[in-house]
Amino acid sequence: MKKKIYAYRQVGMALCFVLILCGCQSHQGHQFYVNSRIMMGTIVEVTSPDKRAAGIAFSEIKRIEDLLSKYKEDSEVSRLNKLGKSVVSPETFYILKKSKEFWQLSNGAFDVTVAPLVDLWGFTNRNFTVPADEKIKNILNLVGSDKILLHNNENVIKFKFPGMKIDLGAIAKGYALDCAVKKLKEKGINSCLINAGGQVYCLGKKFGRPWRVAIRGPRGKGVVSFLELADQSVATSGDYEQYFIKNNKRYAHILDPKTGYPADSGIMAVTVIAPDGLTSDTLATAIFVLGKDKGERLAKRFKGVEVKIYAQDSL
Ligand code: ADP
Ligand code: MG
């Protein structure tokens, strides 16, 4: 008998700003604008007292998505995945350099070369399957960021083996928010909240007080805490955003690059607060793979970083 596979995707439910309506709103006599758009595979919501903020943020996020998305056929990442070698823009080169740096720091837990594994498990096209051990072992030969060769002076990226691919799903959103914030500041906007499906950046304050961000419980348990943030980013990685269940076992989208299987470190969700989006995004994914002890040790190496870990069955 064919076993049923249940698939779930809770776009943007990990973390959610309290206000979700679009348009112009008023709060204690202050006016602000809330706009949302589907981008980078999620709902991006921009809140600011400045009417221009959403347009600026959306166009910058789109620019990054066009460069780094593996789902866009003409992105630099897709070209690299297809050819195995490519000249890229300085920005894409920078992100690959950062990804490798993070791979090293996390002792291999954060690894953008998991792409062929992400495909094998069906997370790319949502055709979920539990692959045979043998298949996973074979694909593991293509995994490892040491197999990405970066030629600094020409912005050339080369994969060591044919069949290698990269997936920037665990870093691109964080970086896109950083780029958006930089553009907003350049235009003189210093109060804005961007929520890209749980990847959040709080620029400045909201009418003199920190932005308030609600953290939702991983198993639909409502709000578990509130954060007050100013010029900070917060990201959550969990086993409940993209996953499928087969034979009563949960298989989630963050993979352990060492085993080729979904990470199983005892963490249900991890929330990372950091001064920038790239750090919160990458750290959340890495800690989810590493588990509590190693994850907290890694986080201590970063200035201004705070971590909240929700262990499996802790809520
Ligand atoms: P989300 O994108 O839901 O916010 P993450 O930031 O944790 O969650 O990114 C998870 C995505 O990153 C996966 O969907 C996959 O594309 C990719 N990925 C999976 N495992 C790893 C890993 N160990 N290191 C880097 N990227 C990963
Ligand atoms: Mg991440």
Side-chain angles (χ1 to χ4, degrees), residues 25-73:
Q25 298 183 12
S26 197
H27 177 67
Q28 292 173 351
H30 299 294
Q31 237 187 16
F32 54 93
Y33 301 88
V34 185
N35 286 285
S36 46
R37 193 177 280 186
I38 293 175
M39 305 176 90
M40 298 189 104
T42 191
I43 301 167
V44 179
E45 186 181 86
V46 178
T47 306
S48 174
D50 195 310
K51 210 175 176 174
R52 299 169 299 157
I56 294 166
F58 291 149
S59 72
E60 194 59 4
I61 293 167
K62 182 176 184 313
R63 190 179 67 78
I64 301 304
E65 184 180 16
D66 288 347
L67 275 183
L68 304 182
S69 171
K70 71 169 184 177
Y71 294 100
K72 297 213 159 190
E73 240 186 82

mmCIF file of all heavy atoms in Angstrom, residues 25-73:
data_model
loop_
_atom_site.group_PDB
_atom_site.id
_atom_site.type_symbol
_atom_site.label_atom_id
_atom_site.label_comp_id
_atom_site.label_asym_id
_atom_site.label_seq_id
_atom_site.Cartn_x
_atom_site.Cartn_y
_atom_site.Cartn_z
ATOM 1 N N GLN A 25 -1.856 53.241 8.384
ATOM 2 C CA GLN A 25 -2.467 52.973 9.680
ATOM 3 C C GLN A 25 -2.068 54.039 10.683
ATOM 4 O O GLN A 25 -1.086 54.744 10.500
ATOM 5 C CB GLN A 25 -2.022 51.600 10.190
ATOM 6 C CG GLN A 25 -2.477 50.494 9.265
ATOM 7 C CD GLN A 25 -2.093 49.125 9.809
ATOM 8 O OE1 GLN A 25 -1.702 48.989 10.946
ATOM 9 N NE2 GLN A 25 -2.212 48.129 8.965
ATOM 10 N N SER A 26 -2.820 54.087 11.740
ATOM 11 C CA SER A 26 -2.555 55.082 12.759
ATOM 12 C C SER A 26 -2.377 54.395 14.103
ATOM 13 O O SER A 26 -3.098 53.461 14.429
ATOM 14 C CB SER A 26 -3.734 56.047 12.810
ATOM 15 O OG SER A 26 -3.340 57.198 13.487
ATOM 16 N N HIS A 27 -1.356 54.828 14.872
ATOM 17 C CA HIS A 27 -1.111 54.226 16.179
ATOM 18 C C HIS A 27 -0.759 55.348 17.137
ATOM 19 O O HIS A 27 0.233 56.043 16.957
ATOM 20 C CB HIS A 27 0.036 53.211 16.072
ATOM 21 C CG HIS A 27 0.396 52.591 17.385
ATOM 22 N ND1 HIS A 27 -0.449 51.757 18.061
ATOM 23 C CD2 HIS A 27 1.518 52.682 18.133
ATOM 24 C CE1 HIS A 27 0.145 51.354 19.179
ATOM 25 N NE2 HIS A 27 1.322 51.915 19.241
ATOM 26 N N GLN A 28 -1.585 55.554 18.147
ATOM 27 C CA GLN A 28 -1.402 56.629 19.131
ATOM 28 C C GLN A 28 -1.081 57.964 18.454
ATOM 29 O O GLN A 28 -0.141 58.665 18.817
ATOM 30 C CB GLN A 28 -0.292 56.244 20.111
ATOM 31 C CG GLN A 28 -0.715 55.077 20.989
ATOM 32 C CD GLN A 28 0.417 54.548 21.858
ATOM 33 O OE1 GLN A 28 1.579 54.927 21.696
ATOM 34 N NE2 GLN A 28 0.072 53.687 22.787
ATOM 35 N N GLY A 29 -1.865 58.255 17.454
ATOM 36 C CA GLY A 29 -1.718 59.534 16.775
ATOM 37 C C GLY A 29 -0.614 59.575 15.724
ATOM 38 O O GLY A 29 -0.471 60.556 15.011
ATOM 39 N N HIS A 30 0.192 58.491 15.632
ATOM 40 C CA HIS A 30 1.256 58.456 14.625
ATOM 41 C C HIS A 30 0.781 57.660 13.427
ATOM 42 O O HIS A 30 0.136 56.640 13.571
ATOM 43 C CB HIS A 30 2.512 57.785 15.182
ATOM 44 C CG HIS A 30 3.086 58.478 16.362
ATOM 45 N ND1 HIS A 30 3.623 59.735 16.285
ATOM 46 C CD2 HIS A 30 3.213 58.083 17.647
ATOM 47 C CE1 HIS A 30 4.062 60.096 17.479
ATOM 48 N NE2 HIS A 30 3.825 59.104 18.329
ATOM 49 N N GLN A 31 1.171 58.153 12.251
ATOM 50 C CA GLN A 31 0.764 57.475 11.022
ATOM 51 C C GLN A 31 1.901 56.627 10.481
ATOM 52 O O GLN A 31 3.062 57.052 10.510
ATOM 53 C CB GLN A 31 0.430 58.538 9.983
ATOM 54 C CG GLN A 31 -0.961 58.381 9.461
ATOM 55 C CD GLN A 31 -1.215 59.336 8.317
ATOM 56 O OE1 GLN A 31 -0.313 59.897 7.717
ATOM 57 N NE2 GLN A 31 -2.473 59.510 7.997
ATOM 58 N N PHE A 32 1.584 55.437 10.027
ATOM 59 C CA PHE A 32 2.617 54.653 9.335
ATOM 60 C C PHE A 32 1.986 53.786 8.259
ATOM 61 O O PHE A 32 0.773 53.585 8.223
ATOM 62 C CB PHE A 32 3.466 53.836 10.307
ATOM 63 C CG PHE A 32 2.675 52.945 11.211
ATOM 64 C CD1 PHE A 32 2.427 51.636 10.872
ATOM 65 C CD2 PHE A 32 2.187 53.425 12.421
ATOM 66 C CE1 PHE A 32 1.699 50.813 11.704
ATOM 67 C CE2 PHE A 32 1.452 52.616 13.261
ATOM 68 C CZ PHE A 32 1.199 51.299 12.901
ATOM 69 N N TYR A 33 2.846 53.289 7.378
ATOM 70 C CA TYR A 33 2.397 52.541 6.191
ATOM 71 C C TYR A 33 2.847 51.089 6.283
ATOM 72 O O TYR A 33 3.984 50.817 6.667
ATOM 73 C CB TYR A 33 2.978 53.180 4.929
ATOM 74 C CG TYR A 33 2.569 54.627 4.790
ATOM 75 C CD1 TYR A 33 3.329 55.642 5.377
ATOM 76 C CD2 TYR A 33 1.413 54.974 4.097
ATOM 77 C CE1 TYR A 33 2.943 56.967 5.282
ATOM 78 C CE2 TYR A 33 1.027 56.304 3.990
ATOM 79 C CZ TYR A 33 1.789 57.296 4.591
ATOM 80 O OH TYR A 33 1.408 58.600 4.499
ATOM 81 N N VAL A 34 1.936 50.183 5.944
ATOM 82 C CA VAL A 34 2.273 48.749 5.938
ATOM 83 C C VAL A 34 1.972 48.215 4.544
ATOM 84 O O VAL A 34 0.866 48.370 4.039
ATOM 85 C CB VAL A 34 1.430 47.964 6.973
ATOM 86 C CG1 VAL A 34 1.882 46.506 7.042
ATOM 87 C CG2 VAL A 34 1.521 48.609 8.350
ATOM 88 N N ASN A 35 2.993 47.608 3.927
ATOM 89 C CA ASN A 35 2.826 47.040 2.582
ATOM 90 C C ASN A 35 3.435 45.654 2.531
ATOM 91 O O ASN A 35 4.482 45.423 3.140
ATOM 92 C CB ASN A 35 3.553 47.913 1.551
ATOM 93 C CG ASN A 35 2.798 49.193 1.309
ATOM 94 O OD1 ASN A 35 1.771 49.207 0.643
ATOM 95 N ND2 ASN A 35 3.289 50.274 1.884
ATOM 96 N N SER A 36 2.802 44.756 1.796
ATOM 97 C CA SER A 36 3.436 43.446 1.654
ATOM 98 C C SER A 36 3.428 42.968 0.215
ATOM 99 O O SER A 36 2.609 43.405 -0.605
ATOM 100 C CB SER A 36 2.781 42.422 2.576
ATOM 101 O OG SER A 36 1.404 42.527 2.494
ATOM 102 N N ARG A 37 4.376 42.069 -0.063
ATOM 103 C CA ARG A 37 4.544 41.542 -1.416
ATOM 104 C C ARG A 37 5.155 40.145 -1.306
ATOM 105 O O ARG A 37 5.954 39.903 -0.400
ATOM 106 C CB ARG A 37 5.509 42.469 -2.174
ATOM 107 C CG ARG A 37 5.513 42.216 -3.657
ATOM 108 C CD ARG A 37 6.421 43.184 -4.367
ATOM 109 N NE ARG A 37 5.830 44.499 -4.581
ATOM 110 C CZ ARG A 37 6.416 45.460 -5.287
ATOM 111 N NH1 ARG A 37 7.613 45.264 -5.803
ATOM 112 N NH2 ARG A 37 5.841 46.623 -5.457
ATOM 113 N N ILE A 38 4.776 39.267 -2.220
ATOM 114 C CA ILE A 38 5.393 37.934 -2.204
ATOM 115 C C ILE A 38 6.720 37.996 -2.944
ATOM 116 O O ILE A 38 6.777 38.373 -4.111
ATOM 117 C CB ILE A 38 4.454 36.875 -2.820
ATOM 118 C CG1 ILE A 38 3.236 36.729 -1.899
ATOM 119 C CG2 ILE A 38 5.164 35.525 -2.997
ATOM 120 C CD1 ILE A 38 2.156 35.813 -2.399
ATOM 121 N N MET A 39 7.784 37.687 -2.217
ATOM 122 C CA MET A 39 9.138 37.715 -2.787
ATOM 123 C C MET A 39 9.977 36.670 -2.082
ATOM 124 O O MET A 39 9.707 36.332 -0.933
ATOM 125 C CB MET A 39 9.812 39.082 -2.534
ATOM 126 C CG MET A 39 9.043 40.261 -3.004
ATOM 127 S SD MET A 39 9.866 41.774 -2.546
ATOM 128 C CE MET A 39 10.860 41.982 -3.981
ATOM 129 N N MET A 40 11.008 36.187 -2.719
ATOM 130 C CA MET A 40 11.931 35.208 -2.137
ATOM 131 C C MET A 40 11.178 34.031 -1.505
ATOM 132 O O MET A 40 11.552 33.552 -0.431
ATOM 133 C CB MET A 40 12.862 35.875 -1.111
ATOM 134 C CG MET A 40 13.749 36.946 -1.723
ATOM 135 S SD MET A 40 15.024 37.569 -0.623
ATOM 136 C CE MET A 40 16.481 36.746 -1.283
ATOM 137 N N GLY A 41 10.110 33.630 -2.126
ATOM 138 C CA GLY A 41 9.354 32.473 -1.658
ATOM 139 C C GLY A 41 8.582 32.690 -0.372
ATOM 140 O O GLY A 41 8.190 31.732 0.296
ATOM 141 N N THR A 42 8.364 33.947 -0.017
ATOM 142 C CA THR A 42 7.646 34.215 1.224
ATOM 143 C C THR A 42 6.923 35.564 1.136
ATOM 144 O O THR A 42 6.959 36.220 0.095
ATOM 145 C CB THR A 42 8.636 34.175 2.424
ATOM 146 O OG1 THR A 42 7.889 34.180 3.629
ATOM 147 C CG2 THR A 42 9.605 35.346 2.409
ATOM 148 N N ILE A 43 6.250 35.960 2.213
ATOM 149 C CA ILE A 43 5.596 37.271 2.214
ATOM 150 C C ILE A 43 6.539 38.276 2.867
ATOM 151 O O ILE A 43 6.974 38.068 3.994
ATOM 152 C CB ILE A 43 4.260 37.231 2.989
ATOM 153 C CG1 ILE A 43 3.319 36.212 2.357
ATOM 154 C CG2 ILE A 43 3.625 38.620 3.040
ATOM 155 C CD1 ILE A 43 2.125 35.875 3.237
ATOM 156 N N VAL A 44 6.862 39.317 2.134
ATOM 157 C CA VAL A 44 7.716 40.367 2.698
ATOM 158 C C VAL A 44 6.818 41.545 3.074
ATOM 159 O O VAL A 44 6.059 42.051 2.243
ATOM 160 C CB VAL A 44 8.800 40.826 1.695
ATOM 161 C CG1 VAL A 44 9.654 41.925 2.298
ATOM 162 C CG2 VAL A 44 9.663 39.649 1.258
ATOM 163 N N GLU A 45 6.928 41.957 4.345
ATOM 164 C CA GLU A 45 6.076 43.046 4.832
ATOM 165 C C GLU A 45 6.950 44.200 5.313
ATOM 166 O O GLU A 45 7.907 43.993 6.062
ATOM 167 C CB GLU A 45 5.220 42.522 5.986
ATOM 168 C CG GLU A 45 4.201 43.534 6.467
ATOM 169 C CD GLU A 45 3.417 42.950 7.627
ATOM 170 O OE1 GLU A 45 3.870 43.066 8.770
ATOM 171 O OE2 GLU A 45 2.354 42.376 7.371
ATOM 172 N N VAL A 46 6.611 45.398 4.860
ATOM 173 C CA VAL A 46 7.402 46.580 5.229
ATOM 174 C C VAL A 46 6.511 47.572 5.975
ATOM 175 O O VAL A 46 5.442 47.938 5.495
ATOM 176 C CB VAL A 46 8.008 47.254 3.968
ATOM 177 C CG1 VAL A 46 8.798 48.507 4.340
ATOM 178 C CG2 VAL A 46 8.905 46.278 3.213
ATOM 179 N N THR A 47 6.958 47.990 7.154
ATOM 180 C CA THR A 47 6.206 48.944 7.977
ATOM 181 C C THR A 47 7.094 50.154 8.253
ATOM 182 O O THR A 47 8.234 49.979 8.708
ATOM 183 C CB THR A 47 5.835 48.301 9.337
ATOM 184 O OG1 THR A 47 5.150 47.084 9.087
ATOM 185 C CG2 THR A 47 4.950 49.228 10.163
ATOM 186 N N SER A 48 6.586 51.341 7.951
ATOM 187 C CA SER A 48 7.408 52.535 8.180
ATOM 188 C C SER A 48 6.528 53.779 8.214
ATOM 189 O O SER A 48 5.491 53.828 7.545
ATOM 190 C CB SER A 48 8.433 52.676 7.051
ATOM 191 O OG SER A 48 9.140 53.897 7.167
ATOM 192 N N PRO A 49 6.954 54.790 8.959
ATOM 193 C CA PRO A 49 6.225 56.062 8.893
ATOM 194 C C PRO A 49 6.501 56.792 7.577
ATOM 195 O O PRO A 49 5.823 57.772 7.261
ATOM 196 C CB PRO A 49 6.757 56.856 10.089
ATOM 197 C CG PRO A 49 7.965 56.149 10.567
ATOM 198 C CD PRO A 49 8.022 54.789 9.957
ATOM 199 N N ASP A 50 7.509 56.338 6.846
ATOM 200 C CA ASP A 50 7.861 56.978 5.576
ATOM 201 C C ASP A 50 7.228 56.212 4.411
ATOM 202 O O ASP A 50 7.500 55.024 4.218
ATOM 203 C CB ASP A 50 9.389 57.016 5.422
ATOM 204 C CG ASP A 50 9.828 57.966 4.329
ATOM 205 O OD1 ASP A 50 9.282 57.878 3.208
ATOM 206 O OD2 ASP A 50 10.703 58.806 4.597
ATOM 207 N N LYS A 51 6.434 56.927 3.641
ATOM 208 C CA LYS A 51 5.696 56.319 2.529
ATOM 209 C C LYS A 51 6.602 55.650 1.501
ATOM 210 O O LYS A 51 6.225 54.687 0.838
ATOM 211 C CB LYS A 51 4.891 57.439 1.836
ATOM 212 C CG LYS A 51 3.617 56.985 1.200
ATOM 213 C CD LYS A 51 2.859 58.189 0.670
ATOM 214 C CE LYS A 51 1.609 57.729 -0.060
ATOM 215 N NZ LYS A 51 0.773 58.839 -0.462
ATOM 216 N N ARG A 52 7.849 56.145 1.383
ATOM 217 C CA ARG A 52 8.753 55.645 0.333
ATOM 218 C C ARG A 52 9.389 54.308 0.678
ATOM 219 O O ARG A 52 9.944 53.616 -0.173
ATOM 220 C CB ARG A 52 9.894 56.656 0.112
ATOM 221 C CG ARG A 52 9.456 58.034 -0.339
ATOM 222 C CD ARG A 52 10.645 58.985 -0.243
ATOM 223 N NE ARG A 52 11.141 59.106 1.141
ATOM 224 C CZ ARG A 52 12.369 59.488 1.481
ATOM 225 N NH1 ARG A 52 13.261 59.778 0.559
ATOM 226 N NH2 ARG A 52 12.733 59.571 2.762
ATOM 227 N N ALA A 53 9.340 53.936 1.985
ATOM 228 C CA ALA A 53 10.151 52.797 2.467
ATOM 229 C C ALA A 53 9.866 51.486 1.725
ATOM 230 O O ALA A 53 10.800 50.796 1.304
ATOM 231 C CB ALA A 53 9.936 52.620 3.968
ATOM 232 N N ALA A 54 8.595 51.153 1.559
ATOM 233 C CA ALA A 54 8.250 49.851 0.969
ATOM 234 C C ALA A 54 8.816 49.728 -0.447
ATOM 235 O O ALA A 54 9.435 48.710 -0.784
ATOM 236 C CB ALA A 54 6.744 49.652 0.971
ATOM 237 N N GLY A 55 8.640 50.755 -1.256
ATOM 238 C CA GLY A 55 9.124 50.716 -2.639
ATOM 239 C C GLY A 55 10.637 50.495 -2.686
ATOM 240 O O GLY A 55 11.141 49.686 -3.475
ATOM 241 N N ILE A 56 11.340 51.215 -1.821
ATOM 242 C CA ILE A 56 12.810 51.112 -1.785
ATOM 243 C C ILE A 56 13.215 49.698 -1.351
ATOM 244 O O ILE A 56 14.069 49.059 -1.972
ATOM 245 C CB ILE A 56 13.404 52.177 -0.822
ATOM 246 C CG1 ILE A 56 13.140 53.583 -1.378
ATOM 247 C CG2 ILE A 56 14.890 51.928 -0.567
ATOM 248 C CD1 ILE A 56 13.358 54.708 -0.384
ATOM 249 N N ALA A 57 12.578 49.213 -0.278
ATOM 250 C CA ALA A 57 12.934 47.879 0.235
ATOM 251 C C ALA A 57 12.606 46.793 -0.791
ATOM 252 O O ALA A 57 13.436 45.924 -1.076
ATOM 253 C CB ALA A 57 12.204 47.611 1.548
ATOM 254 N N PHE A 58 11.417 46.857 -1.384
ATOM 255 C CA PHE A 58 11.024 45.818 -2.355
ATOM 256 C C PHE A 58 11.974 45.771 -3.545
ATOM 257 O O PHE A 58 12.365 44.706 -4.002
ATOM 258 C CB PHE A 58 9.592 46.046 -2.860
ATOM 259 C CG PHE A 58 8.519 45.813 -1.824
ATOM 260 C CD1 PHE A 58 7.322 46.544 -1.852
ATOM 261 C CD2 PHE A 58 8.677 44.858 -0.833
ATOM 262 C CE1 PHE A 58 6.325 46.322 -0.907
ATOM 263 C CE2 PHE A 58 7.677 44.633 0.122
ATOM 264 C CZ PHE A 58 6.505 45.369 0.083
ATOM 265 N N SER A 59 12.366 46.954 -4.050
ATOM 266 C CA SER A 59 13.201 46.896 -5.258
ATOM 267 C C SER A 59 14.593 46.367 -4.925
ATOM 268 O O SER A 59 15.205 45.660 -5.734
ATOM 269 C CB SER A 59 13.232 48.221 -6.016
ATOM 270 O OG SER A 59 13.977 49.143 -5.295
ATOM 271 N N GLU A 60 15.098 46.651 -3.745
ATOM 272 C CA GLU A 60 16.408 46.121 -3.354
ATOM 273 C C GLU A 60 16.339 44.604 -3.111
ATOM 274 O O GLU A 60 17.225 43.858 -3.534
ATOM 275 C CB GLU A 60 16.891 46.873 -2.108
ATOM 276 C CG GLU A 60 18.339 46.703 -1.763
ATOM 277 C CD GLU A 60 19.339 47.132 -2.833
ATOM 278 O OE1 GLU A 60 18.939 47.654 -3.888
ATOM 279 O OE2 GLU A 60 20.539 46.890 -2.615
ATOM 280 N N ILE A 61 15.273 44.143 -2.476
ATOM 281 C CA ILE A 61 15.121 42.699 -2.222
ATOM 282 C C ILE A 61 14.979 41.952 -3.550
ATOM 283 O O ILE A 61 15.554 40.887 -3.742
ATOM 284 C CB ILE A 61 13.932 42.434 -1.267
ATOM 285 C CG1 ILE A 61 14.246 43.004 0.125
ATOM 286 C CG2 ILE A 61 13.612 40.937 -1.162
ATOM 287 C CD1 ILE A 61 13.071 43.091 1.080
ATOM 288 N N LYS A 62 14.264 42.562 -4.486
ATOM 289 C CA LYS A 62 14.102 41.929 -5.803
ATOM 290 C C LYS A 62 15.461 41.821 -6.512
ATOM 291 O O LYS A 62 15.769 40.809 -7.147
ATOM 292 C CB LYS A 62 13.114 42.717 -6.666
ATOM 293 C CG LYS A 62 12.921 42.044 -8.007
ATOM 294 C CD LYS A 62 11.894 42.703 -8.885
ATOM 295 C CE LYS A 62 11.668 41.940 -10.177
ATOM 296 N NZ LYS A 62 12.861 41.528 -10.907
ATOM 297 N N ARG A 63 16.259 42.862 -6.380
ATOM 298 C CA ARG A 63 17.585 42.861 -7.013
ATOM 299 C C ARG A 63 18.414 41.671 -6.496
ATOM 300 O O ARG A 63 19.035 40.950 -7.271
ATOM 301 C CB ARG A 63 18.299 44.186 -6.704
ATOM 302 C CG ARG A 63 19.565 44.422 -7.480
ATOM 303 C CD ARG A 63 20.200 45.758 -7.128
ATOM 304 N NE ARG A 63 20.707 45.796 -5.750
ATOM 305 C CZ ARG A 63 21.844 45.236 -5.354
ATOM 306 N NH1 ARG A 63 22.599 44.602 -6.220
ATOM 307 N NH2 ARG A 63 22.238 45.309 -4.081
ATOM 308 N N ILE A 64 18.369 41.457 -5.185
ATOM 309 C CA ILE A 64 19.138 40.354 -4.593
ATOM 310 C C ILE A 64 18.545 39.002 -5.002
ATOM 311 O O ILE A 64 19.272 38.063 -5.317
ATOM 312 C CB ILE A 64 19.182 40.486 -3.045
ATOM 313 C CG1 ILE A 64 19.815 41.813 -2.632
ATOM 314 C CG2 ILE A 64 19.915 39.310 -2.412
ATOM 315 C CD1 ILE A 64 21.201 42.056 -3.197
ATOM 316 N N GLU A 65 17.221 38.920 -5.013
ATOM 317 C CA GLU A 65 16.564 37.670 -5.427
ATOM 318 C C GLU A 65 16.973 37.319 -6.863
ATOM 319 O O GLU A 65 17.275 36.164 -7.168
ATOM 320 C CB GLU A 65 15.038 37.824 -5.323
ATOM 321 C CG GLU A 65 14.290 36.545 -5.637
ATOM 322 C CD GLU A 65 12.781 36.695 -5.543
ATOM 323 O OE1 GLU A 65 12.290 37.852 -5.530
ATOM 324 O OE2 GLU A 65 12.104 35.660 -5.486
ATOM 325 N N ASP A 66 17.005 38.335 -7.729
ATOM 326 C CA ASP A 66 17.379 38.101 -9.131
ATOM 327 C C ASP A 66 18.813 37.587 -9.280
ATOM 328 O O ASP A 66 19.134 36.884 -10.224
ATOM 329 C CB ASP A 66 17.207 39.389 -9.965
ATOM 330 C CG ASP A 66 15.731 39.710 -10.182
ATOM 331 O OD1 ASP A 66 14.884 38.836 -9.911
ATOM 332 O OD2 ASP A 66 15.426 40.854 -10.601
ATOM 333 N N LEU A 67 19.669 37.956 -8.338
ATOM 334 C CA LEU A 67 21.062 37.490 -8.375
ATOM 335 C C LEU A 67 21.216 36.093 -7.802
ATOM 336 O O LEU A 67 21.934 35.259 -8.343
ATOM 337 C CB LEU A 67 21.942 38.414 -7.500
ATOM 338 C CG LEU A 67 22.524 39.693 -8.009
ATOM 339 C CD1 LEU A 67 23.404 40.304 -6.913
ATOM 340 C CD2 LEU A 67 23.366 39.448 -9.250
ATOM 341 N N LEU A 68 20.537 35.852 -6.665
ATOM 342 C CA LEU A 68 20.892 34.687 -5.840
ATOM 343 C C LEU A 68 19.893 33.535 -5.832
ATOM 344 O O LEU A 68 20.186 32.473 -5.278
ATOM 345 C CB LEU A 68 21.123 35.146 -4.385
ATOM 346 C CG LEU A 68 22.174 36.240 -4.160
ATOM 347 C CD1 LEU A 68 22.306 36.531 -2.666
ATOM 348 C CD2 LEU A 68 23.530 35.844 -4.722
ATOM 349 N N SER A 69 18.716 33.716 -6.415
ATOM 350 C CA SER A 69 17.719 32.646 -6.312
ATOM 351 C C SER A 69 18.029 31.475 -7.241
ATOM 352 O O SER A 69 18.269 31.661 -8.430
ATOM 353 C CB SER A 69 16.335 33.207 -6.647
ATOM 354 O OG SER A 69 15.427 32.125 -6.735
ATOM 355 N N LYS A 70 17.961 30.275 -6.686
ATOM 356 C CA LYS A 70 18.167 29.090 -7.549
ATOM 357 C C LYS A 70 16.895 28.778 -8.324
ATOM 358 O O LYS A 70 16.892 27.935 -9.216
ATOM 359 C CB LYS A 70 18.599 27.885 -6.701
ATOM 360 C CG LYS A 70 17.515 27.307 -5.810
ATOM 361 C CD LYS A 70 17.926 25.963 -5.207
ATOM 362 C CE LYS A 70 16.769 25.380 -4.408
ATOM 363 N NZ LYS A 70 17.040 24.057 -3.860
ATOM 364 N N TYR A 71 15.801 29.434 -7.971
ATOM 365 C CA TYR A 71 14.533 29.213 -8.667
ATOM 366 C C TYR A 71 14.378 30.103 -9.897
ATOM 367 O O TYR A 71 13.481 29.914 -10.694
ATOM 368 C CB TYR A 71 13.353 29.451 -7.716
ATOM 369 C CG TYR A 71 13.297 28.443 -6.591
ATOM 370 C CD1 TYR A 71 13.781 28.755 -5.327
ATOM 371 C CD2 TYR A 71 12.777 27.170 -6.799
ATOM 372 C CE1 TYR A 71 13.739 27.823 -4.295
ATOM 373 C CE2 TYR A 71 12.729 26.231 -5.784
ATOM 374 C CZ TYR A 71 13.212 26.562 -4.530
ATOM 375 O OH TYR A 71 13.170 25.635 -3.523
ATOM 376 N N LYS A 72 15.242 31.130 -10.013
ATOM 377 C CA LYS A 72 15.164 32.018 -11.182
ATOM 378 C C LYS A 72 16.195 31.565 -12.198
ATOM 379 O O LYS A 72 17.405 31.587 -11.912
ATOM 380 C CB LYS A 72 15.445 33.469 -10.770
ATOM 381 C CG LYS A 72 14.408 33.993 -9.791
ATOM 382 C CD LYS A 72 14.171 35.458 -9.985
ATOM 383 C CE LYS A 72 12.818 35.806 -9.400
ATOM 384 N NZ LYS A 72 12.369 37.123 -9.710
ATOM 385 N N GLU A 73 15.712 31.183 -13.363
ATOM 386 C CA GLU A 73 16.595 30.541 -14.350
ATOM 387 C C GLU A 73 17.775 31.398 -14.772
ATOM 388 O O GLU A 73 18.848 30.885 -15.071
ATOM 389 C CB GLU A 73 15.773 30.160 -15.586
ATOM 390 C CG GLU A 73 15.815 28.665 -15.834
ATOM 391 C CD GLU A 73 15.127 28.319 -17.114
ATOM 392 O OE1 GLU A 73 15.777 28.460 -18.158
ATOM 393 O OE2 GLU A 73 13.935 27.944 -17.057
#
